[in-house]
Amino acid sequence: MDALCWNHPSISLKGSEISENHGFFRPKSSSHLHFRAAMNSSNPESKPSPLKIQNRMFILGMGFVGQFFAQELKYSGWSVSGTCRNLGQKMELEGRGFDVYVFDANDPEQGTLKAMKYHTHLLISIPPDVDVGDPLLQHEKLLRTTLQGGDLRWLCYLSSTSVYGDYGGAWVNEDNPTNPSSQSGKLRIEAEERWLNLGNDLGLSTQVLRLGGIYGPGRSAIDTIITQRSLSERQHRRARRQYTSRVHVQDICQALKACIQRPSSRRVYNIVDDDPAPREEVFSYARDLVEKKWPRKLSTLSKQVEASVITNGSGRGDKRVCNVRMKRELGVSLVYPSYKSGLQSIIDQMGDEEPF
């Protein structure tokens, strides 16, 4: 039977909306120096006194979502560390006040693993690798041994709604069977279960967030049109879907905050907006916004970019992902419930200067 996302597209939860007045984002009185001193101690097993522990987030994979969330936490008084792929990224992120480690999936340094141990929260935002699966879980035994007895109390794995596979345009929720058609989707399912098991074994609050198509400032249909980029093969595949569920990066951060405020064990949440829509519809709306803001500035090339989206559409049914559990259990009230409000916000933030 098809999943039903009832009360869709709008669910009023004003009485249970998340408040940031719960002490979650209030900076603790302890200093970040206690943590750094412990990590630099000659005794590798030394750690901060429990009375001096502040909220410390370690983000495995400081990409688009990781950086956005890290900055929000930093503004709220958290200490944030994480991993990146190369030295250039490390220098850029350290310049913004984060402790960053270059992560090699084939040979993870002990220093990186021990750093994770002495953080209070762990976010995994690294996609599976076709050859090894989850990059860190290929060292699961070492990871378990290292993290035991540390300060971690919360773990969250960022997954993808691709795990559901094709439902012919029907609504799906977290109770629907997963049936991914892609290898990456199959690896996501495996990683979800293994991270849930690891967190459970370590006695942590452990959750999985299945994210829809991620967009935000610098990464949206508006940016693609303005920069006149041609579409990637992955974008072409998404274009052939009847529906695509999306989520603005700010709402992902909202959901992450809510998960920390409302810890649970082995809970899975779909993190999407209320308005799954065809990709050509989104691009058409983005083009209208750009043309309204900067009349007669779009080139023939950018029109070809949009045309490639439309002409590659096959009308193949996919799925519409339901977010009722996110709203009911986490109390998330979306800042951008539709791609329309999300894209409008992005173009408003660009100012009046022509970006062409």
Side-chain angles (χ1 to χ4, degrees), residues 130-256:
V130 175
D131 295 324
V132 300
D134 187 280
L136 201 60
L137 289 177
Q138 64 174 316
H139 310 286
E140 183 175 353
K141 184 176 180 180
L142 175 62
L143 186 62
R144 285 175 177 269
T145 302
T146 304
L147 296 183
Q148 286 178 350
D151 294 327
L152 282 176
R153 56 177 181 258
W154 179 91
L155 181 154
C156 183
Y157 175 69
L158 297 186
S159 186
S160 167
T161 56
S162 66
V163 298
Y164 294 110
D166 185 1
Y167 269 78
W171 286 101
V172 298
N173 61 33
E174 294 87 348
D175 294 326
N176 281 91
T178 56
N179 186 30
S181 57
S182 66
Q183 179 65 14
S184 62
K186 295 174 183 177
L187 291 173
R188 285 283 191 187
I189 289 293
E190 180 185 353
E192 285 184 6
E193 186 64 23
R194 292 178 66 186
W195 279 113
L196 286 170
N197 289 340
L198 176 60
N200 184 71
D201 293 347
L202 294 175
L204 312 178
S205 168
T206 309
Q207 295 141 324
V208 166
L209 303 189
R210 292 173 177 167
L211 309 182
I214 303 164
Y215 76 101
R219 178 175 166 172
S220 70
I222 288 174
D223 297 282
T224 299
I225 290 172
I226 287 176
T227 58
Q228 303 179 10
R229 294 193 301 263
S230 60
L231 297 180
S232 67
E233 177 57 30
R234 179 177 293 182
Q235 287 173 315
H236 279 299
R237 289 198 300 270
R238 288 200 296 264
R240 291 189 285 270
R241 297 175 185 170
Q242 182 179 351
Y243 298 103
T244 297
S245 295
R246 299 169 182 79
V247 62
H248 192 287
V249 65
Q250 188 170 337
D251 284 319
I252 297 174
C253 292
Q254 273 209 97
L256 285 167

Side-chain angles (χ1 to χ4, degrees), residues 27-35 48-57 77-80 118-121 153:
K28 302 294 189 282
S29 58
S30 60
S31 168
H32 179 57
L33 293 176
H34 295 297
F35 173 61
S49 163
L51 299 177
K52 297 180 179 180
I53 293 175
Q54 68 180 71
N55 286 326
R56 298 189 301 278
M57 175 68 70
W78 284 57
S79 170
V80 183
Y118 296 126
H119 284 71
T120 55
H121 297 72
R153 56 177 181 258

Side-chain angles (χ1 to χ4, degrees), residues 53-72:
I53 293 175
Q54 68 180 71
N55 286 326
R56 298 189 301 278
M57 175 68 70
F58 195 97
I59 301 175
L60 278 164
M62 291 188 69
F64 184 70
V65 173
Q67 290 184 38
F68 203 99
F69 188 48
Q71 195 62 59
E72 288 208 1

Side-chain angles (χ1 to χ4, degrees), residues 278-290:
R279 190 169 177 81
E280 61 266 28
E281 180 182 310
V282 176
F283 263 78
S284 178
Y285 187 79
R287 167 171 281 277
D288 289 343
L289 291 178
V290 174

